[in-house]
Amino acid sequence: MDCLFCKIVKKDIPAKIVFENDKVLAFEDLTPQAPVHILVIPKKHIATSLDISREDNSLIGELYQAANAIAKEKGVAEKGFRLVMNCNREAGQTVFHIHLHLLAGRAMNWPPG
Ligand code: 5GP
Ligand code: ZN
């Protein structure tokens, strides 16, 4: 399967990894939109939010546990951070392997653009 993030999981493409366990990988975004911009992904290929099955429920919890741990580790947990998962093109999804964007280190706008 030709998936960029699966290649990062397999270490076929390099990334600045900040967290890894058996189910989850997190790495720095190539084009950061904030001082902290990390992508938190399941190692399992799931194309979009719409493809999350009930069997994946605990895996999705693991994504949030990892994001929380990274936010604490980066020292942004108290001040605040944003977790975003874009679904499909109009929302801005460009890589079709689900990922939480962990954004922090600056004031965030609301509503998002
Ligand atoms: P999306 O637009 O799908 O919500 O987010 C995809 C994200 O992946 C973008 O923020 C983009 O900068 C990032 N990205 C795209 N290609 C690469 C890559 O090869 N390496 C890393 N680390 N990030 C990437
Ligand atoms: Zn994938």
Side-chain angles (χ1 to χ4, degrees):
M1 190 199 316
D2 197 29
C3 169
L4 178 64
F5 286 177
C6 283
K7 287 177 184 160
I8 289 177
V9 168
K10 285 187 273 178
K11 312 275 166 74
D12 289 344
I13 290 177
K16 291 185 184 166
I17 293 170
V18 298
F19 178 96
E20 181 167 18
N21 66 22
D22 58 332
K23 295 189 173 64
V24 176
L25 186 70
F27 51 89
E28 292 180 9
D29 196 291
L30 200 60
T31 314
Q33 303 300 318
V36 175
H37 189 174
I38 290 161
L39 302 173
V40 186
I41 74 169
K43 289 188 170 177
K44 175 185 177 183
H45 180 84
I46 300 172
T48 79
S49 175
L50 292 167
D51 299 300
I52 297 168
S53 70
R54 293 207 172 271
E55 289 71 48
D56 299 320
N57 281 355
S58 73
L59 178 58
I60 300 307
E62 295 296 331
L63 288 188
Y64 279 84
Q65 294 297 341
N68 289 341
I70 295 161
K72 288 178 193 166
E73 202 263 325
K74 293 279 178 189
V76 298
E78 284 297 313
K79 260 189 146 180
F81 58 96
R82 184 170 289 174
L83 297 175
V84 178
M85 185 182 290
N86 298 320
C87 183
N88 280 338
R89 286 193 169 74
E90 193 162 283
Q93 186 175 7
T94 58
V95 178
F96 286 80
H97 179 134
I98 61 166
H99 45 281
L100 279 179
H101 293 260
L102 165 52
L103 296 150
R106 64 167 171 83
M108 297 290 156
N109 299 318
W110 193 264

